Amino acid sequence: MTGEKDIRTLLATIHPVRREGEYVYVLWPYGKPLAPAIEAAVREAEGLTAVLPRAEADAMGLHYDFVGAWITLEVHSTSEALGLTAAVSAALTDAQINCNVLAGFHHDHLLVPVADADRALEVLHELAGDTSQRTAAKLLLRTETPEDRDAILALTAAAFSVSPLTGLPVDGEPAEVGLLRQLFDCEEYLPAFSIVAELDGEIVGYAISTRGWVGELGLLGLGPIGVVPRLQRHGIGSALIHETVMRANAAGERGIALLGSPEYYSRFGFVSSTSLGIQPPKPEWGDDFQLLPLAVWPGGIHGTFRYAGPLAAM
Ligand SMILES: CC(C)(COP(=O)(O)OP(=O)(O)OC[C@H]1O[C@@H](n2cnc3c(N)ncnc32)[C@H](O)[C@@H]1OP(=O)(O)O)[C@@H](O)C(=O)NCCC(=O)NCCS
């Protein structure tokens, strides 16, 4: 991956978030025990510089000049972020906003004058938005080929390394990887609904839909769907779902079923399957089992959805 690409993709995921309160830089009094309120510190030959909440500094009678707002860039893995800080500082400098950068183990943090905090957030959101749009414009959605499979499995392992159900890291290979291997080989595999999202030659997202049924009526079962973690939340998952829906309508499919968060999938028109008379394969899935009726949805269908073999066995 090139440095330029790193920056472009990472900028789209900076997620600037302002911490509550105001922060100041103080020269820590020599010999004074360190206070728990210190958020960051730098030791120099001349003494110790500390950053702490303004109210704490005031309570200790410490002198300061600069009063800052603290903005955390929630982008992960600063080790990958070669040049990210420079790009962020340059954008703030262009907007004539003074900015002190603190690099933590997990994230970069910016201290900007309190009066400029809102403007700084605007500049950062604009920077992220611009790159996000560029990413979407360059995204290629295409049918998977057998040569793509290693990359698909690798991205699926990364996307599901944290369980979407529990939010906890998964030990070993996520179950979705083995599931995909089986889906590629099962009878219900539909090549046209195995879709990769490619960015600059790299596979960054993947969605599969396989044949499922209610009674004799064939429907699509969507999932798993995954996006590489560093590029999540800037439209790739949505693009894959829109592409799936478009292909399904063009192919005369009746509807698409899936298990997932109604908060996310409702934006594409998915509704609780039971509202259409279709029961989930497992009753406990409740409203998380959703269905998108397509242009030729027949209506009046009742029954329980059956997934492709490997999905039904999960
Ligand atoms: C779920 C996933 C495919 C979505 O793709 P994406 O490219 O990150 O999503 P998009 O950028 O298109 O959409 C982002 C929006 O969806 C929301 N979103 C994403 N996943 C969500 C979820 N599980 N629940 C609720 N909202 C969700 C985000 O909050 C964001 O909303 P916003 O635009 O209002 O901020 C991707 O995040 C992923 O791979 N996650 C890990 C694996 C997974 O959970 N897969 C789905 C289960 S099979």
Side-chain angles (χ1 to χ4, degrees):
M1 198 190 293
T2 64
E4 189 212 343
K5 183 172 155 194
D6 259 352
I7 287 307
R8 192 181 56 244
T9 54
L10 283 164
L11 278 174
T13 60
I14 52 179
H15 286 287
V17 175
R18 183 178 173 178
R19 275 194 200 180
E20 236 180 278
E22 296 178 349
Y23 295 83
V24 295
Y25 276 81
V26 299
L27 197 55
W28 197 252
Y30 183 75
K32 185 178 172 70
L34 294 183
I38 293 176
E39 299 281 337
V42 182
R43 195 178 293 283
E44 297 171 305
E46 297 86 347
L48 183 81
T49 304
V51 184
L52 71 169
R54 180 183 194 171
E56 302 282 346
D58 285 342
M60 288 183 252
L62 299 173
H63 173 76
Y64 52 82
D65 294 319
F66 174 82
V67 180
W70 186 306
I71 297 172
T72 296
L73 304 181
E74 294 203 327
V75 61
H76 284 285
S77 183
T78 47
S79 59
E80 281 183 33
L82 198 65
L84 178 75
T85 317
V88 165
S89 307
L92 291 170
T93 305
D94 281 352
Q96 301 194 320
I97 298 173
N98 170 25
C99 158
N100 295 296
V101 182
L102 295 168
F105 190 83
H106 297 287
H107 304 291
D108 281 346
H109 307 267
L110 313 174
L111 281 147
V112 300
V114 165
D116 292 332
D118 288 344
R119 221 156 45 82
L121 282 168
E122 268 171 38
V123 169
L124 295 169
H125 281 300
E126 224 170 83
L127 194 63
D130 279 348
T131 55
S132 204
Q133 278 162 18
R134 247 184 290 154
T135 301
K138 293 184 72 177
L139 200 66
L140 170 69
L141 298 165
R142 61 169 177 80
T143 302
E144 166 250 327
T145 68
E147 292 74 49
D148 296 325
R149 290 199 175 161
D150 286 348
I152 292 170
L153 295 175
L155 101 79
T156 303
F160 289 91
S161 59
V162 172
S163 161
L165 291 178
T166 62
L168 296 172
V170 171
D171 270 347
E173 185 180 87
E176 288 76 6
V177 177
L179 172 65
L180 269 189
R181 284 198 192 96
Q182 293 180 48
L183 288 176
F184 289 142
D185 282 339
C186 75
E187 274 180 24
E188 300 92 343
Y189 169 76
L190 303 168
F193 291 99
S194 179
I195 306 171
V196 296
E198 190 181 304
L199 189 67
D200 294 338
E202 181 194 1
I203 292 181
V204 294
Y206 176 69
I208 186 169
S209 302
T210 45
R211 177 61 66 221
W213 303 266
V214 173
E216 295 302 306
L217 179 74
L219 297 175
L220 293 175
L222 172 57
I225 172 170
V227 172
V228 286
R230 74 170 200 286
L231 288 174
Q232 285 175 7
R233 293 186 161 219
H234 54 294
I236 297 173
S238 300
L240 281 163
I241 294 167
H242 286 305
E243 179 71 12
T244 301
V245 173
M246 202 190 69
R247 290 183 180 206
N249 269 318
E253 292 286 341
R254 317 295 173 85
I256 307 174
L258 60 79
L259 175 67
S261 155
E263 200 194 324
Y264 181 50
Y265 293 103
S266 59
R267 67 182 71 185
F268 307 102
F270 283 84
V271 295
S272 148
S273 73
T274 51
S275 68
L276 294 165
I278 311 298
Q279 302 307 313
K282 295 188 182 169
E284 63 269 26
W285 289 353
D287 288 346
D288 287 349
F289 191 71
Q290 300 159 69
L291 218 151
L292 176 70
L294 295 172
V296 291
W297 175 250
I301 307 293
H302 294 280
T304 301
F305 183 82
R306 301 193 317 281
Y307 265 122
L311 281 156
M314 275 201 89

